[in-house]
């Protein structure tokens, strides 16, 4: 039987809050928006995590950011359905500060109201 892949330790609340804080910095957000190939940016996030006392590599940070983004989007989409009870996810408020202004979640079309500006 092949050996099992070793899993990374579970992220603590403190680690997650630090990851969200680093990920939410404007410089980091700018780098992530400017390039699709952003592994170097996750390397910077990993170094910032190490400076804060957490031992996480770039791949672990990238995967956790993707998981957090997915959980936030699922909760947000569920809340957009009328009549549905409100849903939330862990750290929703903190994630909303980062992803709530994400241009990929905003509608790209404008609505013509028929009124002219003076």
């Amino acid at each position: 039987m092949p050996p099992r892949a070793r899993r990374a330790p579970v992220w603590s609340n403190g680690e997650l809050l630090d990851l969200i804080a680093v990920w939410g910095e404007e410089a980091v957000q700018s780098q992530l928006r400017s390039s699709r190939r952003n592994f170097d940016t996750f390397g910077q996030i990993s170094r910032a995590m190490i400076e804060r006392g957490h031992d996480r590599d770039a791949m672990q940070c990238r995967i956790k950011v993707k998981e957090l983004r997915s959980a936030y989007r699922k909760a947000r989409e569920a809340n957009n359905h009328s009549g549905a009870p409100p849903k939330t996810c862990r750290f929703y408020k903190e994630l909303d500060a980062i992803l709530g202004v994400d241009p990929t979640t905003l509608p790209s079309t404008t609505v013509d109201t028929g009124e002219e500006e003076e």
Side-chain angles (χ1 to χ4, degrees), residues 27-45 58-59 62 66 69:
V28 172
Q29 286 296 303
S30 178
Q31 287 178 331
L32 290 172
R33 281 190 299 263
S34 69
S35 174
R36 282 279 179 219
R37 297 187 176 266
N38 47 30
F39 194 76
D40 291 341
T41 305
F42 284 103
Q44 292 174 353
I45 292 172
M59 186 60 73
R62 180 179 172 273
K66 286 177 72 170
R69 183 184 295 128

Side-chain angles (χ1 to χ4, degrees), residues 46-118:
S46 171
R47 286 188 291 282
M49 291 293 287
I50 290 169
E51 288 173 9
R52 292 173 182 234
H54 309 295
D55 185 22
R56 297 293 180 172
D57 64 27
M59 186 60 73
Q60 290 171 325
C61 292
R62 180 179 172 273
I63 290 169
K64 187 52 70 174
V65 163
K66 286 177 72 170
E67 289 172 359
L68 290 168
R69 183 184 295 128
S70 175
Y72 170 80
R73 285 193 176 143
K74 285 179 183 176
R76 186 168 170 173
E77 286 174 16
N79 290 335
N80 286 336
H81 293 99
S82 62
K87 298 217 183 219
T88 189
C89 66
R90 212 161 124 195
F91 306 113
Y92 186 89
K93 188 171 76 172
E94 293 86 350
L95 293 170
D96 191 52
I98 299 169
L99 299 172
V101 294
D102 183 356
T104 62
T105 62
L106 298 175
S108 59
T109 57
T110 58
V111 177
D112 183 8
T113 61
E115 297 177 10
E116 292 184 30
E117 290 187 27
E118 292 181 25

